[in-house]
Amino acid sequence: MVEPHAPILFLDSGVGGLSVLAETRELLPDAPVIYLADEAALPYGDKSEAEIAARVCGLLGRMAERYHPRLICIACNTASTIALGMVRDVLEIPVVGTVPAIKPASEITQTGVIGLLGTRATIRQAYVDNLEAEFAQGKSLLRHAAPELVAAAEAKLRGGMVDPAFIRNAVEGLRGQPGGADIDTVVLACTHFPLLETELAEAFGPGVQFVDGAQGIARRIAYLTRGQPFRRARQDFAIVTGHEQDPATYASAFQPFGIAEIRGL
Ligand code: DGL
């Protein structure tokens, strides 16, 4: 029997997973939430597979012991495409990952040319090759690593400016590839990127649709927790690693997502 106040734990390297949390709140407004932003290790996308796997498994193990979540959501494509299997092997609770939404993109593209924006680590994963082989047969999938969009999303959520050059570079990185002019669907394969959808849509221009996994993940979480009681015993809070001295820097980023308290690890 799951305790009513057992939280759902979200993990991302930073604020990107808030795009997944927002969709989950729509379906499960009463679910207690803990959001872990591993800012000390941001960006995951520039690290090796071994570093990411060790970091994510270690952190989630500690969190599971300390907070007894009913479910963990790895709200990060980089961590999920690398470490989802390992985390599931070591933890006994359900773990939901975030993987590039290639299947839905493939179903809606008219031109058959799909763009994919992710981190450097995500776009080189065999996990992505497998999704492409399974769901995008006969289509063309153009990948581009846009690590600077991670920094841009972090800045935006903390009230800073988004450098238009970062957005332009990401668009040109896809459009500049052979066939790139025909892209009509872009997979936002990093949870930070939906936070910049307005800016990206403007830069791509009309006729391009964006797909991310957030709604599907929220539905999966709702499905896996169906019938469970939900009651908050305390306010939802975020844990931000690496900012133990001054976690309040993140208050403005988290507040719109219903998280008023920020703690260190
Ligand atoms: N939000 C993470 C993702 O979905 C990546 C950000 C990072 O590089 O740390 O891939």
PDB file of all heavy atoms in Angstrom, residues 12-14 16-17 41-46 75-79 98 118-119 122 147 150 189-193, ligand 1:
ATOM      1  N   ASP A  12      16.333  16.106 -12.918  1.00  0.00           N
ATOM      2  CA  ASP A  12      16.974  16.609 -14.135  1.00  0.00           C
ATOM      3  C   ASP A  12      18.296  17.239 -13.717  1.00  0.00           C
ATOM      4  O   ASP A  12      18.535  17.482 -12.526  1.00  0.00           O
ATOM      5  CB  ASP A  12      16.076  17.644 -14.840  1.00  0.00           C
ATOM      6  CG  ASP A  12      16.692  18.154 -16.142  1.00  0.00           C
ATOM      7  OD1 ASP A  12      17.302  17.356 -16.877  1.00  0.00           O
ATOM      8  OD2 ASP A  12      16.581  19.361 -16.431  1.00  0.00           O
ATOM      9  N   SER A  13      19.125  17.537 -14.703  1.00  0.00           N
ATOM     10  CA  SER A  13      20.375  18.234 -14.401  1.00  0.00           C
ATOM     11  C   SER A  13      20.114  19.673 -13.984  1.00  0.00           C
ATOM     12  O   SER A  13      20.973  20.316 -13.392  1.00  0.00           O
ATOM     13  CB  SER A  13      21.269  18.219 -15.643  1.00  0.00           C
ATOM     14  OG  SER A  13      20.552  18.777 -16.726  1.00  0.00           O
ATOM     15  N   GLY A  14      18.933  20.181 -14.325  1.00  0.00           N
ATOM     16  CA  GLY A  14      18.621  21.579 -14.004  1.00  0.00           C
ATOM     17  C   GLY A  14      17.128  21.810 -14.006  1.00  0.00           C
ATOM     18  O   GLY A  14      16.367  20.980 -13.498  1.00  0.00           O
ATOM     19  N   GLY A  16      15.157  21.911 -16.656  1.00  0.00           N
ATOM     20  CA  GLY A  16      14.464  21.355 -17.818  1.00  0.00           C
ATOM     21  C   GLY A  16      13.301  20.444 -17.458  1.00  0.00           C
ATOM     22  O   GLY A  16      12.243  20.480 -18.085  1.00  0.00           O
ATOM     23  N   GLY A  17      13.473  19.648 -16.429  1.00  0.00           N
ATOM     24  CA  GLY A  17      12.430  18.700 -16.046  1.00  0.00           C
ATOM     25  C   GLY A  17      11.149  19.370 -15.582  1.00  0.00           C
ATOM     26  O   GLY A  17      10.109  18.716 -15.454  1.00  0.00           O
ATOM     27  N   ALA A  41      26.147  19.260 -11.472  1.00  0.00           N
ATOM     28  CA  ALA A  41      26.701  18.443 -12.562  1.00  0.00           C
ATOM     29  C   ALA A  41      26.203  18.898 -13.935  1.00  0.00           C
ATOM     30  O   ALA A  41      26.469  18.248 -14.941  1.00  0.00           O
ATOM     31  CB  ALA A  41      26.352  16.980 -12.337  1.00  0.00           C
ATOM     32  N   LEU A  42      25.455  20.001 -13.991  1.00  0.00           N
ATOM     33  CA  LEU A  42      24.975  20.529 -15.286  1.00  0.00           C
ATOM     34  C   LEU A  42      26.164  21.052 -16.089  1.00  0.00           C
ATOM     35  O   LEU A  42      27.014  21.736 -15.502  1.00  0.00           O
ATOM     36  CB  LEU A  42      23.987  21.671 -15.009  1.00  0.00           C
ATOM     37  CG  LEU A  42      23.380  22.355 -16.232  1.00  0.00           C
ATOM     38  CD1 LEU A  42      21.985  21.863 -16.468  1.00  0.00           C
ATOM     39  CD2 LEU A  42      23.403  23.855 -16.121  1.00  0.00           C
ATOM     40  N   PRO A  43      26.290  20.810 -17.391  1.00  0.00           N
ATOM     41  CA  PRO A  43      25.354  20.021 -18.193  1.00  0.00           C
ATOM     42  C   PRO A  43      25.730  18.543 -18.241  1.00  0.00           C
ATOM     43  O   PRO A  43      26.887  18.202 -18.388  1.00  0.00           O
ATOM     44  CB  PRO A  43      25.518  20.653 -19.586  1.00  0.00           C
ATOM     45  CG  PRO A  43      26.952  21.100 -19.616  1.00  0.00           C
ATOM     46  CD  PRO A  43      27.320  21.464 -18.201  1.00  0.00           C
ATOM     47  N   TYR A  44      24.714  17.688 -18.145  1.00  0.00           N
ATOM     48  CA  TYR A  44      24.942  16.255 -18.318  1.00  0.00           C
ATOM     49  C   TYR A  44      25.414  15.974 -19.758  1.00  0.00           C
ATOM     50  O   TYR A  44      26.189  15.061 -19.997  1.00  0.00           O
ATOM     51  CB  TYR A  44      23.643  15.466 -18.085  1.00  0.00           C
ATOM     52  CG  TYR A  44      23.250  15.232 -16.647  1.00  0.00           C
ATOM     53  CD1 TYR A  44      22.074  14.532 -16.351  1.00  0.00           C
ATOM     54  CD2 TYR A  44      24.032  15.678 -15.582  1.00  0.00           C
ATOM     55  CE1 TYR A  44      21.684  14.279 -15.049  1.00  0.00           C
ATOM     56  CE2 TYR A  44      23.639  15.432 -14.266  1.00  0.00           C
ATOM     57  CZ  TYR A  44      22.462  14.732 -14.004  1.00  0.00           C
ATOM     58  OH  TYR A  44      22.072  14.490 -12.713  1.00  0.00           O
ATOM     59  N   GLY A  45      24.886  16.748 -20.679  1.00  0.00           N
ATOM     60  CA  GLY A  45      25.087  16.464 -22.102  1.00  0.00           C
ATOM     61  C   GLY A  45      26.527  16.517 -22.562  1.00  0.00           C
ATOM     62  O   GLY A  45      26.849  16.004 -23.640  1.00  0.00           O
ATOM     63  N   ASP A  46      27.407  17.108 -21.783  1.00  0.00           N
ATOM     64  CA  ASP A  46      28.818  17.170 -22.177  1.00  0.00           C
ATOM     65  C   ASP A  46      29.658  16.168 -21.403  1.00  0.00           C
ATOM     66  O   ASP A  46      30.891  16.202 -21.466  1.00  0.00           O
ATOM     67  CB  ASP A  46      29.369  18.587 -21.976  1.00  0.00           C
ATOM     68  CG  ASP A  46      28.826  19.533 -23.052  1.00  0.00           C
ATOM     69  OD1 ASP A  46      28.258  19.037 -24.046  1.00  0.00           O
ATOM     70  OD2 ASP A  46      28.948  20.763 -22.897  1.00  0.00           O
ATOM     71  N   ALA A  75      13.506  13.078 -15.578  1.00  0.00           N
ATOM     72  CA  ALA A  75      12.950  14.077 -16.501  1.00  0.00           C
ATOM     73  C   ALA A  75      14.074  14.705 -17.322  1.00  0.00           C
ATOM     74  O   ALA A  75      14.223  15.924 -17.397  1.00  0.00           O
ATOM     75  CB  ALA A  75      12.178  15.130 -15.715  1.00  0.00           C
ATOM     76  N   CYS A  76      14.843  13.836 -17.951  1.00  0.00           N
ATOM     77  CA  CYS A  76      16.039  14.255 -18.678  1.00  0.00           C
ATOM     78  C   CYS A  76      16.327  13.195 -19.740  1.00  0.00           C
ATOM     79  O   CYS A  76      16.474  12.019 -19.413  1.00  0.00           O
ATOM     80  CB  CYS A  76      17.211  14.345 -17.694  1.00  0.00           C
ATOM     81  SG  CYS A  76      18.804  14.652 -18.470  1.00  0.00           S
ATOM     82  N   ASN A  77      16.369  13.629 -20.988  1.00  0.00           N
ATOM     83  CA  ASN A  77      16.632  12.673 -22.074  1.00  0.00           C
ATOM     84  C   ASN A  77      18.034  12.104 -21.994  1.00  0.00           C
ATOM     85  O   ASN A  77      18.252  10.917 -22.261  1.00  0.00           O
ATOM     86  CB  ASN A  77      16.478  13.366 -23.436  1.00  0.00           C
ATOM     87  CG  ASN A  77      15.046  13.685 -23.775  1.00  0.00           C
ATOM     88  OD1 ASN A  77      14.395  12.970 -24.511  1.00  0.00           O
ATOM     89  ND2 ASN A  77      14.534  14.772 -23.222  1.00  0.00           N
ATOM     90  N   THR A  78      19.007  12.949 -21.640  1.00  0.00           N
ATOM     91  CA  THR A  78      20.397  12.498 -21.596  1.00  0.00           C
ATOM     92  C   THR A  78      20.533  11.374 -20.577  1.00  0.00           C
ATOM     93  O   THR A  78      21.053  10.291 -20.875  1.00  0.00           O
ATOM     94  CB  THR A  78      21.322  13.672 -21.209  1.00  0.00           C
ATOM     95  OG1 THR A  78      21.019  14.787 -22.039  1.00  0.00           O
ATOM     96  CG2 THR A  78      22.775  13.298 -21.367  1.00  0.00           C
ATOM     97  N   ALA A  79      20.053  11.620 -19.360  1.00  0.00           N
ATOM     98  CA  ALA A  79      20.165  10.617 -18.302  1.00  0.00           C
ATOM     99  C   ALA A  79      19.344   9.372 -18.642  1.00  0.00           C
ATOM    100  O   ALA A  79      19.779   8.244 -18.384  1.00  0.00           O
ATOM    101  CB  ALA A  79      19.713  11.209 -16.970  1.00  0.00           C
ATOM    102  N   THR A  98      12.508   9.624 -19.849  1.00  0.00           N
ATOM    103  CA  THR A  98      12.122  10.601 -20.864  1.00  0.00           C
ATOM    104  C   THR A  98      12.953  10.316 -22.096  1.00  0.00           C
ATOM    105  O   THR A  98      14.159  10.527 -22.058  1.00  0.00           O
ATOM    106  CB  THR A  98      12.489  12.018 -20.387  1.00  0.00           C
ATOM    107  OG1 THR A  98      12.053  12.174 -19.046  1.00  0.00           O
ATOM    108  CG2 THR A  98      11.865  13.083 -21.256  1.00  0.00           C
ATOM    109  N   GLY A 118      18.967  17.811 -29.443  1.00  0.00           N
ATOM    110  CA  GLY A 118      19.246  17.202 -28.139  1.00  0.00           C
ATOM    111  C   GLY A 118      20.597  17.660 -27.643  1.00  0.00           C
ATOM    112  O   GLY A 118      21.205  18.574 -28.212  1.00  0.00           O
ATOM    113  N   THR A 119      21.082  17.006 -26.594  1.00  0.00           N
ATOM    114  CA  THR A 119      22.427  17.313 -26.121  1.00  0.00           C
ATOM    115  C   THR A 119      23.428  16.468 -26.929  1.00  0.00           C
ATOM    116  O   THR A 119      23.039  15.536 -27.632  1.00  0.00           O
ATOM    117  CB  THR A 119      22.590  16.976 -24.627  1.00  0.00           C
ATOM    118  OG1 THR A 119      22.423  15.563 -24.448  1.00  0.00           O
ATOM    119  CG2 THR A 119      21.579  17.729 -23.784  1.00  0.00           C
ATOM    120  N   THR A 122      23.019  12.839 -25.885  1.00  0.00           N
ATOM    121  CA  THR A 122      21.792  12.164 -26.336  1.00  0.00           C
ATOM    122  C   THR A 122      21.873  11.780 -27.804  1.00  0.00           C
ATOM    123  O   THR A 122      21.535  10.647 -28.166  1.00  0.00           O
ATOM    124  CB  THR A 122      20.565  13.072 -26.106  1.00  0.00           C
ATOM    125  OG1 THR A 122      20.393  13.269 -24.701  1.00  0.00           O
ATOM    126  CG2 THR A 122      19.299  12.439 -26.669  1.00  0.00           C
ATOM    127  N   PRO A 147      23.803  22.233 -27.216  1.00  0.00           N
ATOM    128  CA  PRO A 147      24.025  22.386 -25.771  1.00  0.00           C
ATOM    129  C   PRO A 147      23.786  23.813 -25.272  1.00  0.00           C
ATOM    130  O   PRO A 147      23.405  24.003 -24.113  1.00  0.00           O
ATOM    131  CB  PRO A 147      25.497  21.978 -25.590  1.00  0.00           C
ATOM    132  CG  PRO A 147      26.122  22.048 -26.936  1.00  0.00           C
ATOM    133  CD  PRO A 147      25.032  21.799 -27.930  1.00  0.00           C
ATOM    134  N   VAL A 150      20.545  24.610 -23.554  1.00  0.00           N
ATOM    135  CA  VAL A 150      20.388  24.252 -22.138  1.00  0.00           C
ATOM    136  C   VAL A 150      20.680  25.488 -21.280  1.00  0.00           C
ATOM    137  O   VAL A 150      19.896  25.866 -20.399  1.00  0.00           O
ATOM    138  CB  VAL A 150      21.330  23.078 -21.752  1.00  0.00           C
ATOM    139  CG1 VAL A 150      21.270  22.805 -20.252  1.00  0.00           C
ATOM    140  CG2 VAL A 150      20.965  21.819 -22.539  1.00  0.00           C
ATOM    141  N   ALA A 189      14.374  16.918 -27.994  1.00  0.00           N
ATOM    142  CA  ALA A 189      14.848  15.732 -27.280  1.00  0.00           C
ATOM    143  C   ALA A 189      15.727  16.091 -26.088  1.00  0.00           C
ATOM    144  O   ALA A 189      16.705  15.406 -25.783  1.00  0.00           O
ATOM    145  CB  ALA A 189      15.582  14.810 -28.244  1.00  0.00           C
ATOM    146  N   CYS A 190      15.378  17.157 -25.453  1.00  0.00           N
ATOM    147  CA  CYS A 190      16.011  17.567 -24.201  1.00  0.00           C
ATOM    148  C   CYS A 190      14.925  18.320 -23.455  1.00  0.00           C
ATOM    149  O   CYS A 190      14.230  19.163 -24.051  1.00  0.00           O
ATOM    150  CB  CYS A 190      17.203  18.485 -24.482  1.00  0.00           C
ATOM    151  SG  CYS A 190      17.829  19.328 -23.007  1.00  0.00           S
ATOM    152  N   THR A 191      14.749  17.999 -22.188  1.00  0.00           N
ATOM    153  CA  THR A 191      13.608  18.579 -21.467  1.00  0.00           C
ATOM    154  C   THR A 191      13.748  20.094 -21.256  1.00  0.00           C
ATOM    155  O   THR A 191      12.769  20.754 -20.929  1.00  0.00           O
ATOM    156  CB  THR A 191      13.412  17.878 -20.105  1.00  0.00           C
ATOM    157  OG1 THR A 191      14.653  17.879 -19.385  1.00  0.00           O
ATOM    158  CG2 THR A 191      12.947  16.443 -20.307  1.00  0.00           C
ATOM    159  N   HIS A 192      14.944  20.620 -21.460  1.00  0.00           N
ATOM    160  CA  HIS A 192      15.092  22.070 -21.379  1.00  0.00           C
ATOM    161  C   HIS A 192      14.446  22.781 -22.580  1.00  0.00           C
ATOM    162  O   HIS A 192      14.064  23.945 -22.471  1.00  0.00           O
ATOM    163  CB  HIS A 192      16.579  22.471 -21.351  1.00  0.00           C
ATOM    164  CG  HIS A 192      17.230  22.352 -20.005  1.00  0.00           C
ATOM    165  ND1 HIS A 192      17.609  21.149 -19.469  1.00  0.00           N
ATOM    166  CD2 HIS A 192      17.571  23.303 -19.092  1.00  0.00           C
ATOM    167  CE1 HIS A 192      18.165  21.347 -18.281  1.00  0.00           C
ATOM    168  NE2 HIS A 192      18.148  22.642 -18.023  1.00  0.00           N
ATOM    169  N   PHE A 193      14.367  22.098 -23.722  1.00  0.00           N
ATOM    170  CA  PHE A 193      14.026  22.798 -24.955  1.00  0.00           C
ATOM    171  C   PHE A 193      12.561  23.227 -25.080  1.00  0.00           C
ATOM    172  O   PHE A 193      12.293  24.286 -25.665  1.00  0.00           O
ATOM    173  CB  PHE A 193      14.476  21.981 -26.178  1.00  0.00           C
ATOM    174  CG  PHE A 193      15.968  21.726 -26.237  1.00  0.00           C
ATOM    175  CD1 PHE A 193      16.508  20.873 -27.196  1.00  0.00           C
ATOM    176  CD2 PHE A 193      16.849  22.326 -25.342  1.00  0.00           C
ATOM    177  CE1 PHE A 193      17.879  20.623 -27.251  1.00  0.00           C
ATOM    178  CE2 PHE A 193      18.232  22.082 -25.379  1.00  0.00           C
ATOM    179  CZ  PHE A 193      18.737  21.226 -26.348  1.00  0.00           C
TER     180      PHE A 193
HETATM  181  N1  DGL B   1      17.596  18.354 -19.607  1.00  0.00           N
HETATM  182  C1  DGL B   1      18.569  17.420 -20.056  1.00  0.00           C
HETATM  183  C2  DGL B   1      17.996  16.523 -21.154  1.00  0.00           C
HETATM  184  O1  DGL B   1      16.796  16.334 -21.235  1.00  0.00           O
HETATM  185  C3  DGL B   1      19.913  17.879 -20.520  1.00  0.00           C
HETATM  186  C4  DGL B   1      20.583  19.092 -20.015  1.00  0.00           C
HETATM  187  C5  DGL B   1      22.061  18.865 -19.753  1.00  0.00           C
HETATM  188  O2  DGL B   1      22.870  18.774 -20.700  1.00  0.00           O
HETATM  189  O3  DGL B   1      22.369  18.761 -18.578  1.00  0.00           O
HETATM  190  O4  DGL B   1      18.717  15.955 -21.935  1.00  0.00           O
END
